[in-house]
Every structure is written in structure tokens, then in C-alpha cells.
Amino acid sequence: AHNPIHHVESRLKSDKSIIEKLRRKGLPISMDAARENINDIAGIRVVCCYIDDVYSVEDMLLRQSDIRLIKRQDYIKTPKDNGYRSYHLIVEIPVYFSDKVRPVRCEIQIRTIGMDFWASVDHQLRYKKTIGADKDIEAIEAELLKCAQTVSETDCHMEEIKDMIGDFEKI
């Protein structure tokens, strides 16, 4: 009766981004180096309505026999210093070619609509941008952190309302 997934987005890292990342890591520019050292060439973002849906989706994914967990990072229970919240999985999935099956790494980000909103706006406002003086940066970062905390509180409140409705429907 309840679909935990609101929507899904996907992307493939561009050749330019792959090369830049290999250079930053001091690695050779080759397909093998990219395959062995870059975990987010393929990326999937699963956006859920509620925090408990995030953990349900993670559980469903990891129960699949063809998905192998490489790494997990829970930025919901332990947010980044800037307020970023999301649940990250690095997984290996089989990709079928005409003559072979090759395991490929993929980053899966699972987050709520609120977390996705905040991360999108934060990215738009500051990612790879130069912002005035240090004083300005500190003020902007403090405001973004306040917004992240507000979004987190709203996520928790929405989950409480959902649970209240669920309890009411059981009567």
C-alpha cells in the first residue's frame, strides 16, 4: 500500500570528470584505473518521502543476491559538518556484455525529499564557486547549516505525522 520510493535519478560521470578525478588522485588516465579506483562513475539517487523509507530501500537493495556492498556511509544519523544528510552505498552490480559479465561499482544515494531539496540548493549556491571574503563564507555556511537543521526537523515531524495517520487507520 506504500511505495517507499518517490522518484529515482541516475547519471554517468562524464569522461572529463573521470579524467579530472584520476588526475586529482595521481592515477594513470586509463579505463582500468577508472574501473578500479572510482566508485561513482555510475550514480543513482533514490528519493523517498520519509526517513524510515530510506532504510527500507537500503534493506531491499542489499537483499538482492546480485548486489554486493562495498561501503556504506550514513550521513543521516551522522550528518556532515555542513549539515548534509543522505545515505550512501557503494555497491558492485553485474553488467552484462555480449561476451561476458563484469562487476561494476555504482554509488547509490538514498535520501528524503527534504534532504534532496537542501543538497540541491546547497550545491547550486556554493559548489565550485568562489564566495567573497572569509567572513561572508562563515555567515553563509551558518545559514545553510540552520536550513539543514530545519529540513531535518521537518523530515522528523513529517514522519511523526505519517505514523499518527497510520496509528489512526489501525483503529
Side-chain angles (χ1 to χ4, degrees), residues 82-83 118 121-122 125-126 139-149:
N82 68 349
W118 183 89
V121 173
D122 178 74
L125 291 175
R126 78 160 124 186
I140 291 167
E141 287 176 347
E143 290 302 312
L144 287 168
L145 181 58
K146 277 199 266 184
C147 289
Q149 291 163 338

